[in-house]
Amino acid sequence: MIDVLVERLRRIRDRARMRQAAAALSRLDDRMLKDIGVARSDIAFAVRRTDPRS
């Protein structure tokens, strides 16, 4: 039971981190995004494919 709760909390935390990362990338201008190799339309994908725990 505890393991289920811990895993649920971990997923909630990970989603919050992904939302924060997406918000941070969204604040960058297109030139800065291009410098790091991310198109504005790919922000959600770029955030999902990274490990939020790193």
Side-chain angles (χ1 to χ4, degrees):
M1 183 70 171
I2 296 293
D3 293 337
V4 172
L5 180 59
V6 169
E7 183 59 31
R8 176 74 176 139
L9 291 173
R10 191 172 291 139
R11 279 188 259 142
I12 291 169
R13 183 198 63 208
D14 291 348
R15 282 196 303 269
R17 287 181 180 173
M18 286 190 280
R19 282 192 305 274
Q20 290 172 343
L25 287 172
S26 294
R27 288 189 294 270
L28 298 177
D29 63 30
D30 290 337
R31 186 174 146 254
M32 293 175 86
L33 287 171
K34 185 177 178 183
D35 286 347
I36 61 173
V38 177
R40 186 160 305 280
S41 60
D42 294 334
I43 289 175
F45 175 75
V47 170
R48 281 193 312 266
R49 73 176 179 186
T50 59
D51 185 356
R53 289 170 243 171
S54 44

